């Protein structure tokens, strides 16, 4: 079992060092990798996150309210998955934008979306986490470097299983976005992937590695924007965040796709923050922003193919503005609106 008491102690100590009294906090928001627990969601706020990857396979969820309630006795506690926080942050910092797609390039790529109340009355925001788009959409590989890992169907059970990270197809003509842009791929370009023999990963010049990475990102964004279009119509903006995104600043500036019926060609601006600080502000803004909403309805179609909650078709959350916040501008964050995200 996961020792939450030790974690609570470390959090208290960290806050104390920064002169914050944990007993006096009114609102605490955790942001963690994983998927939000949808069944029996407290309609007011989300408190359970499951499938956090650093935990064991048996890990089926942690209720942050239960685990940390005594650490923060006066506080309402909620928990968000990281990419949901990023999507809300994008919505928060750009109140003029009606809909957008957010790709986070971390250990593995993850995709989230936001779609604002089309009536313009600011009553709700719909967010979606679409892991199936990343796991099952393939892009052409216009480079000789192939991919590692991958998934396969287990002949005995018919279940989809993840191959070990040491599995590889180098070169290969295509790859799922999940394995074309994961951190293991970047490490391999640098000659530092711990799962592979060095003969399979002669380090690339940083310029060449970045060129290949940006080309793969371009193909992925084109595909993801098209997926978005099929559900919501054209996205107004695409954000790319995460540690493996910054190097593509200035190299990937728009996503292009044709609609499924080939009736229109669409171009969408892509924003990649130049530095980590901008990304962190966006994420933190999303966490603060989440407190202005109640989570009304949550929808997750179908059982996830990998049985770890990561790859359902989509997890849709309806965030309904609490009455006291409707049509209020976000004062504390207003000064960020004047910077365009590229500065």
């Amino acid at each position: 079992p996961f020792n939450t008491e030790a974690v609570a102690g470390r959090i208290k100590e960290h806050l104390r060092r920064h002169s914050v009294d944990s007993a006096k906090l009114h609102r605490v928001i955790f942001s963690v990798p994983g998927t939000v627990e949808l069944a029996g969601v407290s309609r007011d706020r989300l408190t359970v996150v499951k499938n956090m990857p650093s935990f064991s396979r048996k890990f089926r969820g942690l209720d942050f309210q239960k685990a940390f309630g005594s650490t923060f006795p006066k506080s309402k506690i909620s928990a968000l998955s990281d990419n949901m926080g990023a999507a809300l942050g994008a919505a928060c910092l750009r109140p003029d934008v009606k809909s957008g797609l957010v790709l986070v390039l971390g250990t593995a790529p993850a995709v989230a979306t936001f779609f604002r109340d089309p009536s313009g009355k600011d009553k709700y925001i719909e967010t979606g986490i679409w892991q199936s788009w990343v796991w099952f959409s393939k892009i052409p590989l216009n480079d000789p470097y192939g991919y590692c890992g991958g998934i396969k169907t287990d002949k005995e059970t018919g279940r989809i299983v993840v191959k070990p990270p040491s599995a590889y197809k180098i070169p290969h003509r295509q790859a799922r976005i999940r394995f074309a842009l994961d951190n293991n791929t970047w490490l391999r370009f640098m000659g530092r992937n711990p799962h592979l023999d060095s003969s399979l990963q002669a380090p690339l010049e940083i310029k060449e590695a970045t060129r290949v990475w940006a080309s793969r990102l371009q193909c992925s964004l084109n595909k993801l924007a098209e997926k978005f279009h099929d559900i919501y119509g054209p996205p107004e903006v695409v954000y790319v965040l995460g540690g493996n995104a910054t190097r593509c600043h200035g190299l990937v500036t728009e996503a292009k796709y044709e609609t499924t019926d080939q009736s229109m060609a669409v171009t969408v601006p892509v924003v990649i923050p130049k530095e980590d600080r901008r990304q962190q502000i966006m994420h933190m803004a999303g966490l603060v922003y989440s407190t202005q909403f109640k989570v009304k309805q949550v929808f997750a179609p179908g059982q996830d193919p990998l049985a770890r909650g990561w790859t359902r078709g989509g997890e849709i959350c309806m965030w309904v503005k609490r009455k006291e916040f409707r049509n209020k501008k976000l004062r504390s964050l207003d000064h960020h609106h004047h910077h365009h995200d590229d500065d």
Side-chain angles (χ1 to χ4, degrees):
F2 177 58
N3 180 359
T4 48
E5 279 174 27
V7 176
R10 288 202 294 276
I11 292 173
K12 273 184 170 162
E13 177 54 30
H14 178 77
L15 291 171
R16 202 178 54 74
R17 278 207 305 276
H18 293 83
S19 324
V20 177
D21 179 355
S22 51
K24 289 189 176 143
L25 291 172
H26 291 277
R27 202 68 179 75
V28 174
I29 308 138
F30 287 88
S31 179
V32 286
T35 53
V36 179
E37 173 55 83
L38 305 173
V41 55
S42 121
R43 290 292 171 226
D44 194 28
R45 60 189 191 277
L46 301 167
T47 64
V48 179
V49 176
K50 61 180 182 178
N51 297 327
M52 288 144 70
S54 52
F55 290 96
S56 79
R57 275 195 166 310
K58 299 192 186 76
F59 182 76
R60 295 312 293 172
L62 179 66
D63 185 329
F64 283 79
Q65 178 69 58
K66 280 198 185 110
F68 298 104
S70 57
T71 314
F72 305 106
K74 293 207 173 121
S75 181
K76 275 190 169 179
I77 294 173
S78 56
L80 291 186
S81 62
D82 283 340
N83 45 353
M84 198 181 269
L88 281 173
C92 166
L93 293 180
R94 292 293 301 278
D96 52 311
V97 172
K98 302 275 183 293
S99 70
L101 182 129
V102 181
L103 177 65
V104 182
L105 296 180
T107 308
V111 68
T113 59
F114 68 90
F115 183 78
R116 223 181 273 281
D117 172 7
S119 76
K121 293 201 171 83
D122 190 35
K123 283 194 172 157
Y124 70 85
I125 289 181
E126 181 180 304
T127 62
I129 293 178
W130 305 91
Q131 291 301 74
S132 62
W133 295 0
V134 169
W135 280 85
F136 297 111
S137 307
K138 292 179 177 173
I139 58 162
L141 296 181
N142 308 314
D143 60 67
Y145 304 112
Y147 71 90
C148 292
I151 57 182
K152 64 174 188 215
T153 307
D154 185 315
K155 288 202 175 59
E156 309 268 291
T157 62
R159 299 265 303 269
I160 293 172
V161 291
V162 184
K163 292 193 214 166
S166 54
Y168 63 89
K169 287 189 177 171
I170 306 172
H172 204 62
R173 64 187 197 298
Q174 59 179 20
R176 299 166 194 280
I177 293 172
R178 164 65 183 80
F179 299 102
L181 286 171
D182 61 354
N183 194 50
N184 277 340
T185 299
W186 181 257
L187 289 175
R188 176 163 60 96
F189 289 176
M190 299 292 97
R192 296 204 307 266
N193 182 326
H195 309 286
L196 286 187
D197 194 78
S198 55
S199 64
L200 293 165
Q201 50 175 340
L204 305 181
E205 291 276 326
I206 191 80
K207 202 171 169 186
E208 166 69 357
T210 304
R211 183 192 67 75
V212 172
W213 192 256
S215 161
R216 290 183 172 202
L217 176 61
Q218 183 69 67
C219 292
S220 301
L221 294 180
N222 297 350
K223 178 72 111 192
L224 293 169
E226 184 190 338
K227 289 270 194 195
F228 181 101
H229 185 114
D230 288 343
I231 294 176
Y232 295 114
E236 284 185 38
V237 65
V238 173
Y239 283 97
V240 190
L241 308 172
N244 283 326
T246 11
R247 69 180 69 96
C248 296
H249 176 86
L251 298 177
V252 179
T253 56
E254 54 190 26
K256 287 183 169 159
Y257 61 95
E258 278 191 352
T259 49
T260 316
D261 59 4
Q262 261 92 53
S263 63
M264 60 193 264
V266 186
T267 304
V268 183
V270 169
V271 176
I272 305 177
K274 198 164 25 191
E275 53 206 24
D276 285 346
R277 207 184 112 266
R278 285 262 350 135
Q279 295 197 26
Q280 285 159 1
I281 286 172
M282 185 176 284
H283 197 130
M284 291 300 164
L287 303 188
V288 175
Y289 193 40
S290 72
T291 64
Q292 298 192 6
F293 297 87
K294 288 182 177 179
V295 181
K296 267 294 185 256
Q297 128 203 22
V298 184
F299 172 69
Q303 265 310 296
D304 53 86
L306 296 185
R308 291 212 48 214
W310 282 85
T311 54
R312 290 190 187 93
E315 294 186 358
I316 313 289
C317 271
M318 201 62 83
W319 301 79
V320 177
K321 264 278 171 92
R322 296 175 188 273
K323 288 209 172 56
E324 64 268 31
F325 289 110
R326 284 202 190 146
N327 287 326
K328 267 198 189 162
K329 281 283 169 278
L330 294 166
R331 292 273 168 268
S332 62
L333 295 165
D334 260 340
H335 60 287
H336 292 303
H337 294 166
H338 306 305
H339 302 306
H340 196 270
D341 293 69
D342 289 334
D343 59 6

